[in-house]
Amino acid sequence: MHIDHFRPKALFMHLATHYSNLVYACPYCNLAKSDDWPGNETQCVVGDRGYIDPCSPALDQHFERYDNGRI
C-alpha cells in the first residue's frame, strides 16, 4: 500500500502533511491518479470527473461495507 495525497501536493502544497489529506491507496491507483485533480481544493468531483474522498460520508453512497472488512 502507498500513502496517497488525496488532494495532490503538487497542486495543494499546504495540505501535504494534513492528516485528512493522507489516505491509503494501492500502488496502481496511486500512480494512476498521480497529480490529476478536477477542480479547486474543495471540488473532488466536477461533472462526471473526479474522485470520491474516502473520508467523506458520500463514500457510503458508492460502496458497501461488510462485517468481515470487505468493501
Side-chain angles (χ1 to χ4, degrees):
M1 296 299 286
H2 285 183
I3 296 178
D4 176 40
H5 293 88
F6 180 67
R7 289 167 177 82
K9 67 180 176 183
L11 303 174
F12 308 106
M13 186 53 119
H14 63 285
L15 298 175
T17 59
H18 282 229
Y19 182 75
S20 62
N21 193 46
L22 302 174
V23 297
Y24 285 116
C26 75
Y28 177 82
C29 290
N30 190 21
L31 295 172
K33 179 179 157 280
S34 188
D35 292 335
D36 185 49
W37 193 251
N40 65 35
E41 183 178 322
T42 61
Q43 294 175 296
C44 302
V45 178
V46 176
D48 62 351
R49 186 173 162 267
Y51 303 96
I52 301 166
D53 185 342
C55 298
S56 165
L59 184 70
D60 292 333
Q61 297 171 4
H62 301 277
F63 295 97
E64 185 173 350
R65 299 170 193 258
Y66 297 95
D67 290 338
N68 65 4
R70 293 186 64 199
I71 298 175

Short mmCIF file of all heavy atoms in Angstrom, two decimals:
data_model
loop_
_atom_site.label_atom_id
_atom_site.label_comp_id
_atom_site.label_asym_id
_atom_site.label_seq_id
_atom_site.Cartn_x
_atom_site.Cartn_y
_atom_site.Cartn_z
N MET A 1 0.83 -1.18 0.00
CA MET A 1 0.00 0.00 0.00
C MET A 1 0.88 1.25 0.00
O MET A 1 1.97 1.25 0.54
CB MET A 1 -0.91 0.01 1.23
CG MET A 1 -1.92 -1.13 1.28
SD MET A 1 -3.08 -1.19 -0.08
CE MET A 1 -4.16 0.17 0.30
N HIS A 2 0.37 2.28 -0.62
CA HIS A 2 1.01 3.59 -0.63
C HIS A 2 0.20 4.54 0.24
O HIS A 2 -0.97 4.30 0.50
CB HIS A 2 1.02 4.18 -2.03
CG HIS A 2 2.01 3.57 -2.95
ND1 HIS A 2 2.19 4.03 -4.22
CD2 HIS A 2 2.87 2.54 -2.81
CE1 HIS A 2 3.12 3.32 -4.83
NE2 HIS A 2 3.54 2.40 -3.99
N ILE A 3 0.82 5.61 0.65
CA ILE A 3 0.09 6.71 1.25
C ILE A 3 -0.04 7.76 0.17
O ILE A 3 0.95 8.26 -0.36
CB ILE A 3 0.80 7.28 2.49
CG1 ILE A 3 0.85 6.20 3.57
CG2 ILE A 3 0.07 8.52 2.99
CD1 ILE A 3 1.57 6.61 4.83
N ASP A 4 -1.28 8.05 -0.19
CA ASP A 4 -1.59 8.99 -1.26
C ASP A 4 -1.98 10.33 -0.67
O ASP A 4 -2.63 10.40 0.36
CB ASP A 4 -2.74 8.42 -2.09
CG ASP A 4 -3.20 9.37 -3.19
OD1 ASP A 4 -2.34 10.01 -3.82
OD2 ASP A 4 -4.42 9.46 -3.42
N HIS A 5 -1.57 11.39 -1.33
CA HIS A 5 -2.09 12.72 -1.02
C HIS A 5 -3.37 12.84 -1.82
O HIS A 5 -3.31 12.98 -3.04
CB HIS A 5 -1.09 13.80 -1.41
CG HIS A 5 0.15 13.77 -0.60
ND1 HIS A 5 1.25 13.00 -0.94
CD2 HIS A 5 0.46 14.40 0.56
CE1 HIS A 5 2.18 13.16 -0.03
NE2 HIS A 5 1.74 14.01 0.90
N PHE A 6 -4.53 12.75 -1.14
CA PHE A 6 -5.80 12.76 -1.86
C PHE A 6 -5.88 14.00 -2.75
O PHE A 6 -6.13 13.90 -3.94
CB PHE A 6 -6.98 12.71 -0.88
CG PHE A 6 -8.30 12.73 -1.56
CD1 PHE A 6 -8.70 11.66 -2.34
CD2 PHE A 6 -9.15 13.82 -1.43
CE1 PHE A 6 -9.93 11.67 -3.00
CE2 PHE A 6 -10.38 13.84 -2.07
CZ PHE A 6 -10.76 12.77 -2.85
N ARG A 7 -5.67 15.15 -2.18
CA ARG A 7 -5.51 16.37 -2.98
C ARG A 7 -4.02 16.49 -3.26
O ARG A 7 -3.22 16.60 -2.33
CB ARG A 7 -6.04 17.58 -2.22
CG ARG A 7 -7.55 17.57 -2.10
CD ARG A 7 -8.06 18.57 -1.09
NE ARG A 7 -9.50 18.58 -1.05
CZ ARG A 7 -10.26 17.71 -0.38
NH1 ARG A 7 -9.69 16.73 0.32
NH2 ARG A 7 -11.57 17.79 -0.40
N PRO A 8 -3.61 16.41 -4.51
CA PRO A 8 -2.18 16.31 -4.85
C PRO A 8 -1.34 17.42 -4.25
O PRO A 8 -1.69 18.60 -4.32
CB PRO A 8 -2.17 16.40 -6.38
CG PRO A 8 -3.54 15.98 -6.80
CD PRO A 8 -4.45 16.44 -5.72
N LYS A 9 -0.22 17.01 -3.64
CA LYS A 9 0.65 18.01 -3.03
C LYS A 9 1.28 18.92 -4.08
O LYS A 9 1.64 20.05 -3.78
CB LYS A 9 1.71 17.36 -2.15
CG LYS A 9 2.74 16.54 -2.86
CD LYS A 9 3.72 15.95 -1.87
CE LYS A 9 4.70 15.05 -2.59
NZ LYS A 9 5.62 14.41 -1.67
N ALA A 10 1.38 18.47 -5.32
CA ALA A 10 1.90 19.33 -6.39
C ALA A 10 0.99 20.53 -6.63
O ALA A 10 1.46 21.58 -7.05
CB ALA A 10 2.06 18.54 -7.68
N LEU A 11 -0.30 20.36 -6.34
CA LEU A 11 -1.26 21.45 -6.53
C LEU A 11 -1.63 22.15 -5.23
O LEU A 11 -2.00 23.33 -5.25
CB LEU A 11 -2.54 20.90 -7.19
CG LEU A 11 -2.36 20.19 -8.53
CD1 LEU A 11 -3.67 19.58 -8.98
CD2 LEU A 11 -1.81 21.16 -9.56
N PHE A 12 -1.57 21.41 -4.13
CA PHE A 12 -2.00 21.94 -2.83
C PHE A 12 -0.93 21.66 -1.78
O PHE A 12 -1.15 20.89 -0.84
CB PHE A 12 -3.34 21.32 -2.43
CG PHE A 12 -4.41 21.42 -3.50
CD1 PHE A 12 -4.78 20.31 -4.24
CD2 PHE A 12 -5.01 22.63 -3.78
CE1 PHE A 12 -5.75 20.40 -5.22
CE2 PHE A 12 -5.98 22.74 -4.77
CZ PHE A 12 -6.34 21.63 -5.49
N MET A 13 0.22 22.26 -1.93
CA MET A 13 1.36 22.00 -1.05
C MET A 13 1.02 22.25 0.43
O MET A 13 1.53 21.56 1.30
CB MET A 13 2.57 22.84 -1.47
CG MET A 13 3.81 22.51 -0.68
SD MET A 13 4.17 20.75 -0.71
CE MET A 13 5.74 20.79 -1.46
N HIS A 14 0.14 23.19 0.70
CA HIS A 14 -0.22 23.50 2.09
C HIS A 14 -0.96 22.33 2.76
O HIS A 14 -1.10 22.31 3.98
CB HIS A 14 -1.04 24.79 2.16
CG HIS A 14 -2.35 24.71 1.46
ND1 HIS A 14 -2.47 24.75 0.08
CD2 HIS A 14 -3.61 24.58 1.96
CE1 HIS A 14 -3.75 24.65 -0.24
NE2 HIS A 14 -4.46 24.55 0.87
N LEU A 15 -1.41 21.35 1.98
CA LEU A 15 -2.10 20.18 2.54
C LEU A 15 -1.20 18.93 2.59
O LEU A 15 -1.67 17.86 2.96
CB LEU A 15 -3.35 19.86 1.71
CG LEU A 15 -4.43 20.93 1.69
CD1 LEU A 15 -5.56 20.52 0.75
CD2 LEU A 15 -4.97 21.19 3.08
N ALA A 16 0.05 19.09 2.24
CA ALA A 16 0.96 17.94 2.10
C ALA A 16 1.07 17.11 3.38
O ALA A 16 1.23 15.89 3.31
CB ALA A 16 2.34 18.40 1.66
N THR A 17 0.97 17.72 4.54
CA THR A 17 1.12 16.98 5.79
C THR A 17 -0.16 16.95 6.62
O THR A 17 -0.12 16.52 7.77
CB THR A 17 2.27 17.56 6.63
OG1 THR A 17 2.00 18.93 6.90
CG2 THR A 17 3.60 17.41 5.91
N HIS A 18 -1.27 17.39 6.04
CA HIS A 18 -2.55 17.33 6.77
C HIS A 18 -3.03 15.88 6.81
O HIS A 18 -3.18 15.24 5.77
CB HIS A 18 -3.61 18.19 6.09
CG HIS A 18 -3.44 19.64 6.38
ND1 HIS A 18 -4.49 20.43 6.78
CD2 HIS A 18 -2.37 20.46 6.34
CE1 HIS A 18 -4.07 21.66 6.97
NE2 HIS A 18 -2.79 21.70 6.70
N TYR A 19 -3.30 15.40 8.00
CA TYR A 19 -3.73 14.01 8.18
C TYR A 19 -4.96 13.69 7.34
O TYR A 19 -5.06 12.61 6.75
CB TYR A 19 -4.00 13.76 9.66
CG TYR A 19 -4.40 12.35 9.98
CD1 TYR A 19 -3.45 11.33 9.97
CD2 TYR A 19 -5.72 12.03 10.27
CE1 TYR A 19 -3.81 10.01 10.25
CE2 TYR A 19 -6.09 10.72 10.55
CZ TYR A 19 -5.12 9.73 10.53
OH TYR A 19 -5.49 8.43 10.80
N SER A 20 -5.89 14.63 7.24
CA SER A 20 -7.12 14.39 6.50
C SER A 20 -6.90 14.29 4.99
O SER A 20 -7.79 13.87 4.26
CB SER A 20 -8.15 15.48 6.78
OG SER A 20 -7.65 16.73 6.34
N ASN A 21 -5.71 14.64 4.53
CA ASN A 21 -5.40 14.56 3.10
C ASN A 21 -4.57 13.32 2.75
O ASN A 21 -4.25 13.09 1.60
CB ASN A 21 -4.65 15.83 2.65
CG ASN A 21 -4.60 15.94 1.14
OD1 ASN A 21 -5.59 15.74 0.46
ND2 ASN A 21 -3.42 16.24 0.62
N LEU A 22 -4.23 12.52 3.74
CA LEU A 22 -3.41 11.33 3.53
C LEU A 22 -4.29 10.09 3.61
O LEU A 22 -4.98 9.88 4.61
CB LEU A 22 -2.29 11.26 4.57
CG LEU A 22 -1.36 12.47 4.60
CD1 LEU A 22 -0.39 12.36 5.76
CD2 LEU A 22 -0.63 12.64 3.29
N VAL A 23 -4.30 9.30 2.55
CA VAL A 23 -5.13 8.10 2.50
C VAL A 23 -4.32 6.92 1.97
O VAL A 23 -3.35 7.11 1.24
CB VAL A 23 -6.38 8.32 1.62
CG1 VAL A 23 -7.28 9.41 2.19
CG2 VAL A 23 -6.00 8.67 0.20
N TYR A 24 -4.73 5.72 2.35
CA TYR A 24 -4.12 4.52 1.79
C TYR A 24 -4.61 4.31 0.37
O TYR A 24 -5.79 4.52 0.08
CB TYR A 24 -4.48 3.28 2.61
CG TYR A 24 -3.75 3.17 3.92
CD1 TYR A 24 -4.44 3.21 5.12
CD2 TYR A 24 -2.38 3.00 3.96
CE1 TYR A 24 -3.77 3.10 6.34
CE2 TYR A 24 -1.70 2.89 5.16
CZ TYR A 24 -2.41 2.94 6.35
OH TYR A 24 -1.75 2.83 7.53
N ALA A 25 -3.71 3.90 -0.50
CA ALA A 25 -4.09 3.57 -1.88
C ALA A 25 -3.17 2.46 -2.36
O ALA A 25 -2.00 2.39 -1.99
CB ALA A 25 -3.95 4.79 -2.79
N CYS A 26 -3.70 1.59 -3.20
CA CYS A 26 -2.84 0.57 -3.79
C CYS A 26 -1.88 1.29 -4.74
O CYS A 26 -2.17 2.38 -5.24
CB CYS A 26 -3.66 -0.49 -4.51
SG CYS A 26 -4.35 0.03 -6.09
N PRO A 27 -0.71 0.72 -4.99
CA PRO A 27 0.27 1.38 -5.86
C PRO A 27 -0.29 1.71 -7.24
O PRO A 27 -0.02 2.79 -7.77
CB PRO A 27 1.41 0.36 -5.95
CG PRO A 27 1.30 -0.45 -4.71
CD PRO A 27 -0.17 -0.52 -4.41
N TYR A 28 -1.08 0.82 -7.81
CA TYR A 28 -1.64 1.07 -9.14
C TYR A 28 -2.52 2.32 -9.14
O TYR A 28 -2.39 3.19 -9.99
CB TYR A 28 -2.44 -0.16 -9.62
CG TYR A 28 -3.11 0.07 -10.94
CD1 TYR A 28 -2.41 -0.08 -12.13
CD2 TYR A 28 -4.44 0.48 -11.01
CE1 TYR A 28 -3.02 0.16 -13.35
CE2 TYR A 28 -5.05 0.72 -12.23
CZ TYR A 28 -4.33 0.56 -13.39
OH TYR A 28 -4.93 0.81 -14.60
N CYS A 29 -3.43 2.40 -8.17
CA CYS A 29 -4.34 3.56 -8.11
C CYS A 29 -3.59 4.85 -7.80
O CYS A 29 -3.89 5.90 -8.38
CB CYS A 29 -5.43 3.33 -7.06
SG CYS A 29 -6.60 2.04 -7.54
N ASN A 30 -2.63 4.78 -6.91
CA ASN A 30 -1.87 5.97 -6.55
C ASN A 30 -1.11 6.52 -7.75
O ASN A 30 -1.15 7.73 -8.03
CB ASN A 30 -0.90 5.65 -5.41
CG ASN A 30 -0.26 6.90 -4.82
OD1 ASN A 30 -0.76 8.01 -4.96
ND2 ASN A 30 0.86 6.70 -4.16
N LEU A 31 -0.47 5.66 -8.50
CA LEU A 31 0.28 6.11 -9.67
C LEU A 31 -0.64 6.54 -10.80
O LEU A 31 -0.33 7.47 -11.55
CB LEU A 31 1.24 5.01 -10.13
CG LEU A 31 2.35 4.68 -9.13
CD1 LEU A 31 3.13 3.45 -9.58
CD2 LEU A 31 3.27 5.85 -8.90
N ALA A 32 -1.80 5.89 -10.93
CA ALA A 32 -2.74 6.26 -11.99
C ALA A 32 -3.34 7.64 -11.72
O ALA A 32 -3.50 8.44 -12.65
CB ALA A 32 -3.85 5.22 -12.10
N LYS A 33 -3.64 7.94 -10.47
CA LYS A 33 -4.21 9.25 -10.12
C LYS A 33 -3.13 10.32 -10.18
O LYS A 33 -3.36 11.41 -10.69
CB LYS A 33 -4.82 9.20 -8.72
CG LYS A 33 -5.40 10.54 -8.28
CD LYS A 33 -6.00 10.40 -6.89
CE LYS A 33 -6.07 11.72 -6.19
NZ LYS A 33 -4.82 12.15 -5.60
N SER A 34 -1.97 10.02 -9.66
CA SER A 34 -0.83 10.93 -9.67
C SER A 34 -1.25 12.33 -9.24
O SER A 34 -1.77 12.51 -8.15
CB SER A 34 -0.16 10.92 -11.04
OG SER A 34 1.04 11.66 -11.00
N ASP A 35 -1.03 13.33 -10.06
CA ASP A 35 -1.37 14.72 -9.73
C ASP A 35 -2.66 15.18 -10.39
O ASP A 35 -2.95 16.38 -10.43
CB ASP A 35 -0.22 15.65 -10.14
CG ASP A 35 1.03 15.44 -9.31
OD1 ASP A 35 0.90 14.95 -8.16
OD2 ASP A 35 2.13 15.75 -9.79
N ASP A 36 -3.44 14.23 -10.90
CA ASP A 36 -4.70 14.60 -11.54
C ASP A 36 -5.67 15.13 -10.49
O ASP A 36 -5.77 14.60 -9.38
CB ASP A 36 -5.31 13.38 -12.23
CG ASP A 36 -6.56 13.73 -13.00
OD1 ASP A 36 -6.52 14.70 -13.78
OD2 ASP A 36 -7.57 13.03 -12.84
N TRP A 37 -6.38 16.19 -10.82
CA TRP A 37 -7.37 16.78 -9.93
C TRP A 37 -8.36 17.57 -10.77
O TRP A 37 -7.96 18.35 -11.62
CB TRP A 37 -6.71 17.66 -8.88
CG TRP A 37 -7.64 18.01 -7.78
CD1 TRP A 37 -8.21 19.23 -7.54
CD2 TRP A 37 -8.15 17.15 -6.77
NE1 TRP A 37 -9.03 19.18 -6.45
CE2 TRP A 37 -9.02 17.90 -5.95
CE3 TRP A 37 -7.98 15.80 -6.48
CZ2 TRP A 37 -9.69 17.35 -4.87
CZ3 TRP A 37 -8.64 15.26 -5.41
CH2 TRP A 37 -9.48 16.04 -4.61
N PRO A 38 -9.67 17.41 -10.55
CA PRO A 38 -10.66 18.00 -11.44
C PRO A 38 -10.98 19.48 -11.22
O PRO A 38 -11.47 20.14 -12.12
CB PRO A 38 -11.91 17.17 -11.17
CG PRO A 38 -11.77 16.78 -9.73
CD PRO A 38 -10.30 16.56 -9.54
N GLY A 39 -10.75 19.99 -10.03
CA GLY A 39 -11.17 21.37 -9.77
C GLY A 39 -10.30 22.07 -8.75
O GLY A 39 -9.11 21.82 -8.66
N ASN A 40 -10.93 22.91 -7.96
CA ASN A 40 -10.17 23.61 -6.92
C ASN A 40 -10.06 22.72 -5.68
O ASN A 40 -10.49 21.58 -5.69
CB ASN A 40 -10.81 24.98 -6.62
CG ASN A 40 -12.19 24.86 -6.02
OD1 ASN A 40 -12.50 23.95 -5.27
ND2 ASN A 40 -13.07 25.79 -6.37
N GLU A 41 -9.54 23.27 -4.62
CA GLU A 41 -9.27 22.49 -3.41
C GLU A 41 -10.51 21.80 -2.84
O GLU A 41 -10.42 20.69 -2.31
CB GLU A 41 -8.66 23.40 -2.36
CG GLU A 41 -8.26 22.71 -1.09
CD GLU A 41 -7.62 23.64 -0.09
OE1 GLU A 41 -6.86 24.54 -0.50
OE2 GLU A 41 -7.89 23.48 1.10
N THR A 42 -11.66 22.42 -2.95
CA THR A 42 -12.86 21.85 -2.36
C THR A 42 -13.68 21.02 -3.34
O THR A 42 -14.66 20.40 -2.94
CB THR A 42 -13.77 22.97 -1.79
OG1 THR A 42 -14.16 23.83 -2.85
CG2 THR A 42 -13.05 23.75 -0.71
N GLN A 43 -13.29 20.99 -4.60
CA GLN A 43 -14.04 20.25 -5.62
C GLN A 43 -13.36 18.91 -5.93
O GLN A 43 -12.40 18.87 -6.67
CB GLN A 43 -14.14 21.05 -6.91
CG GLN A 43 -14.96 22.31 -6.78
CD GLN A 43 -14.91 23.10 -8.07
OE1 GLN A 43 -13.85 23.57 -8.47
NE2 GLN A 43 -16.05 23.24 -8.71
N CYS A 44 -13.89 17.84 -5.34
CA CYS A 44 -13.36 16.50 -5.60
C CYS A 44 -13.92 15.95 -6.91
O CYS A 44 -13.29 15.13 -7.55
CB CYS A 44 -13.73 15.55 -4.48
SG CYS A 44 -13.17 16.05 -2.87
N VAL A 45 -15.14 16.39 -7.25
CA VAL A 45 -15.82 15.93 -8.45
C VAL A 45 -16.36 17.14 -9.19
O VAL A 45 -16.97 18.03 -8.59
CB VAL A 45 -16.98 14.97 -8.11
CG1 VAL A 45 -17.71 14.54 -9.37
CG2 VAL A 45 -16.49 13.76 -7.34
N VAL A 46 -16.10 17.20 -10.49
CA VAL A 46 -16.64 18.25 -11.35
C VAL A 46 -17.30 17.55 -12.53
O VAL A 46 -16.63 16.85 -13.30
CB VAL A 46 -15.53 19.22 -11.83
CG1 VAL A 46 -16.10 20.23 -12.80
CG2 VAL A 46 -14.85 19.91 -10.66
N GLY A 47 -18.61 17.71 -12.63
CA GLY A 47 -19.35 17.00 -13.67
C GLY A 47 -19.28 15.51 -13.41
O GLY A 47 -19.62 15.04 -12.33
N ASP A 48 -18.80 14.76 -14.40
CA ASP A 48 -18.68 13.31 -14.23
C ASP A 48 -17.22 12.89 -14.02
O ASP A 48 -16.86 11.74 -14.20
CB ASP A 48 -19.29 12.57 -15.42
CG ASP A 48 -18.58 12.88 -16.73
OD1 ASP A 48 -17.73 13.80 -16.76
OD2 ASP A 48 -18.87 12.22 -17.74
N ARG A 49 -16.37 13.82 -13.65
CA ARG A 49 -14.94 13.55 -13.49
C ARG A 49 -14.50 13.90 -12.06
O ARG A 49 -14.88 14.93 -11.53
CB ARG A 49 -14.17 14.42 -14.47
CG ARG A 49 -12.70 14.15 -14.50
CD ARG A 49 -12.04 14.95 -15.64
NE ARG A 49 -10.62 14.99 -15.37
CZ ARG A 49 -10.01 15.97 -14.72
NH1 ARG A 49 -10.66 17.01 -14.31
NH2 ARG A 49 -8.72 15.91 -14.51
N GLY A 50 -13.73 13.01 -11.47
CA GLY A 50 -13.19 13.33 -10.16
C GLY A 50 -12.98 12.11 -9.29
O GLY A 50 -12.93 10.98 -9.78
N TYR A 51 -12.88 12.37 -8.00
CA TYR A 51 -12.55 11.34 -7.02
C TYR A 51 -13.44 11.48 -5.80
O TYR A 51 -13.72 12.59 -5.35
CB TYR A 51 -11.08 11.47 -6.60
CG TYR A 51 -10.15 11.40 -7.79
CD1 TYR A 51 -9.69 12.56 -8.39
CD2 TYR A 51 -9.80 10.18 -8.33
CE1 TYR A 51 -8.86 12.50 -9.51
CE2 TYR A 51 -8.98 10.10 -9.45
CZ TYR A 51 -8.51 11.27 -10.02
OH TYR A 51 -7.71 11.20 -11.12
N ILE A 52 -13.84 10.35 -5.24
CA ILE A 52 -14.65 10.36 -4.03
C ILE A 52 -13.69 10.37 -2.85
O ILE A 52 -12.83 9.49 -2.72
CB ILE A 52 -15.55 9.12 -3.97
CG1 ILE A 52 -16.47 9.08 -5.19
CG2 ILE A 52 -16.36 9.11 -2.69
CD1 ILE A 52 -17.15 7.76 -5.38
N ASP A 53 -13.85 11.33 -1.99
CA ASP A 53 -13.00 11.44 -0.80
C ASP A 53 -13.31 10.26 0.11
O ASP A 53 -14.44 10.09 0.57
CB ASP A 53 -13.29 12.76 -0.09
CG ASP A 53 -12.37 13.01 1.09
OD1 ASP A 53 -11.74 12.06 1.59
OD2 ASP A 53 -12.29 14.18 1.51
N PRO A 54 -12.32 9.40 0.39
CA PRO A 54 -12.59 8.22 1.21
C PRO A 54 -12.92 8.56 2.66
O PRO A 54 -13.40 7.71 3.40
CB PRO A 54 -11.30 7.41 1.11
CG PRO A 54 -10.26 8.38 0.71
CD PRO A 54 -10.94 9.44 -0.09
N CYS A 55 -12.72 9.80 3.07
CA CYS A 55 -13.06 10.22 4.43
C CYS A 55 -14.43 10.88 4.48
O CYS A 55 -14.89 11.30 5.54
CB CYS A 55 -12.00 11.18 4.96
SG CYS A 55 -10.38 10.43 5.09
N SER A 56 -15.10 10.98 3.34
CA SER A 56 -16.39 11.65 3.25
C SER A 56 -17.53 10.66 3.45
O SER A 56 -17.46 9.53 2.98
CB SER A 56 -16.52 12.29 1.86
OG SER A 56 -17.85 12.65 1.61
N PRO A 57 -18.61 11.09 4.10
CA PRO A 57 -19.79 10.22 4.22
C PRO A 57 -20.35 9.82 2.85
O PRO A 57 -21.02 8.80 2.73
CB PRO A 57 -20.79 11.08 4.99
CG PRO A 57 -19.96 12.08 5.72
CD PRO A 57 -18.76 12.34 4.84
N ALA A 58 -20.07 10.59 1.82
CA ALA A 58 -20.56 10.27 0.47
C ALA A 58 -20.00 8.94 -0.04
O ALA A 58 -20.57 8.33 -0.94
CB ALA A 58 -20.21 11.40 -0.50
N LEU A 59 -18.90 8.49 0.52
CA LEU A 59 -18.30 7.22 0.11
C LEU A 59 -19.30 6.09 0.25
O LEU A 59 -19.37 5.20 -0.59
CB LEU A 59 -17.04 6.92 0.93
CG LEU A 59 -16.28 5.67 0.53
CD1 LEU A 59 -15.60 5.87 -0.82
CD2 LEU A 59 -15.26 5.31 1.58
N ASP A 60 -20.11 6.14 1.29
CA ASP A 60 -21.09 5.07 1.54
C ASP A 60 -22.19 5.03 0.49
O ASP A 60 -22.92 4.05 0.39
CB ASP A 60 -21.69 5.23 2.94
CG ASP A 60 -20.67 4.95 4.03
OD1 ASP A 60 -19.71 4.19 3.76
OD2 ASP A 60 -20.82 5.48 5.13
N GLN A 61 -22.33 6.06 -0.31
CA GLN A 61 -23.30 6.06 -1.39
C GLN A 61 -22.80 5.27 -2.60
O GLN A 61 -23.56 4.95 -3.49
CB GLN A 61 -23.62 7.49 -1.83
CG GLN A 61 -24.27 8.32 -0.75
CD GLN A 61 -24.38 9.78 -1.15
OE1 GLN A 61 -24.03 10.17 -2.26
NE2 GLN A 61 -24.85 10.60 -0.23
N HIS A 62 -21.51 4.95 -2.61
CA HIS A 62 -20.89 4.28 -3.75
C HIS A 62 -20.36 2.89 -3.43
O HIS A 62 -20.14 2.10 -4.34
CB HIS A 62 -19.75 5.14 -4.30
CG HIS A 62 -20.21 6.50 -4.72
ND1 HIS A 62 -20.77 6.73 -5.96
CD2 HIS A 62 -20.21 7.68 -4.07
CE1 HIS A 62 -21.08 8.02 -6.07
NE2 HIS A 62 -20.76 8.61 -4.93
N PHE A 63 -20.14 2.60 -2.15
CA PHE A 63 -19.57 1.32 -1.75
C PHE A 63 -20.36 0.76 -0.58
O PHE A 63 -20.93 1.49 0.22
CB PHE A 63 -18.11 1.49 -1.30
CG PHE A 63 -17.20 1.92 -2.41
CD1 PHE A 63 -16.87 3.26 -2.55
CD2 PHE A 63 -16.67 1.01 -3.31
CE1 PHE A 63 -16.03 3.68 -3.56
CE2 PHE A 63 -15.84 1.42 -4.33
CZ PHE A 63 -15.51 2.76 -4.46
N GLU A 64 -20.35 -0.56 -0.47
CA GLU A 64 -20.99 -1.23 0.66
C GLU A 64 -19.92 -1.90 1.49
O GLU A 64 -19.03 -2.57 0.95
CB GLU A 64 -21.99 -2.28 0.14
CG GLU A 64 -22.77 -2.93 1.23
CD GLU A 64 -23.87 -3.83 0.71
OE1 GLU A 64 -24.13 -3.82 -0.51
OE2 GLU A 64 -24.45 -4.57 1.52
N ARG A 65 -19.99 -1.73 2.78
CA ARG A 65 -19.01 -2.33 3.70
C ARG A 65 -19.63 -3.54 4.39
O ARG A 65 -20.76 -3.48 4.86
CB ARG A 65 -18.56 -1.32 4.74
CG ARG A 65 -17.89 -0.12 4.15
CD ARG A 65 -17.70 0.95 5.21
NE ARG A 65 -17.34 2.21 4.61
CZ ARG A 65 -16.10 2.71 4.57
NH1 ARG A 65 -15.12 2.03 5.11
NH2 ARG A 65 -15.86 3.85 4.00
N TYR A 66 -18.87 -4.64 4.45
CA TYR A 66 -19.35 -5.87 5.08
C TYR A 66 -18.68 -6.06 6.43
O TYR A 66 -17.60 -5.53 6.68
CB TYR A 66 -19.06 -7.07 4.17
CG TYR A 66 -19.78 -7.00 2.85
CD1 TYR A 66 -19.15 -6.46 1.73
CD2 TYR A 66 -21.10 -7.42 2.73
CE1 TYR A 66 -19.81 -6.38 0.50
CE2 TYR A 66 -21.77 -7.33 1.50
CZ TYR A 66 -21.11 -6.82 0.41
OH TYR A 66 -21.77 -6.72 -0.79
N ASP A 67 -19.32 -6.85 7.31
CA ASP A 67 -18.80 -7.08 8.66
C ASP A 67 -17.42 -7.72 8.66
O ASP A 67 -16.65 -7.54 9.58
CB ASP A 67 -19.76 -7.96 9.45
CG ASP A 67 -21.05 -7.24 9.79
OD1 ASP A 67 -21.07 -6.00 9.80
OD2 ASP A 67 -22.06 -7.94 10.06
N ASN A 68 -17.08 -8.45 7.58
CA ASN A 68 -15.78 -9.12 7.53
C ASN A 68 -14.66 -8.21 7.03
O ASN A 68 -13.53 -8.63 6.82
CB ASN A 68 -15.85 -10.39 6.67
CG ASN A 68 -16.15 -10.08 5.20
OD1 ASN A 68 -16.24 -8.92 4.79
ND2 ASN A 68 -16.29 -11.13 4.40
N GLY A 69 -15.00 -6.91 6.78
CA GLY A 69 -13.98 -5.96 6.34
C GLY A 69 -13.93 -5.71 4.85
O GLY A 69 -13.28 -4.79 4.39
N ARG A 70 -14.62 -6.54 4.09
CA ARG A 70 -14.63 -6.36 2.62
C ARG A 70 -15.45 -5.13 2.25
O ARG A 70 -16.40 -4.77 2.93
CB ARG A 70 -15.20 -7.59 1.94
CG ARG A 70 -14.30 -8.81 2.08
CD ARG A 70 -14.79 -9.97 1.29
NE ARG A 70 -14.72 -9.60 -0.13
CZ ARG A 70 -15.39 -10.21 -1.08
NH1 ARG A 70 -16.17 -11.21 -0.80
NH2 ARG A 70 -15.27 -9.82 -2.34
N ILE A 71 -15.06 -4.52 1.17
CA ILE A 71 -15.79 -3.35 0.66
C ILE A 71 -16.34 -3.70 -0.71
O ILE A 71 -15.63 -4.22 -1.55
CB ILE A 71 -14.87 -2.11 0.57
CG1 ILE A 71 -14.37 -1.76 1.97
CG2 ILE A 71 -15.61 -0.93 -0.04
CD1 ILE A 71 -13.37 -0.63 2.01
#
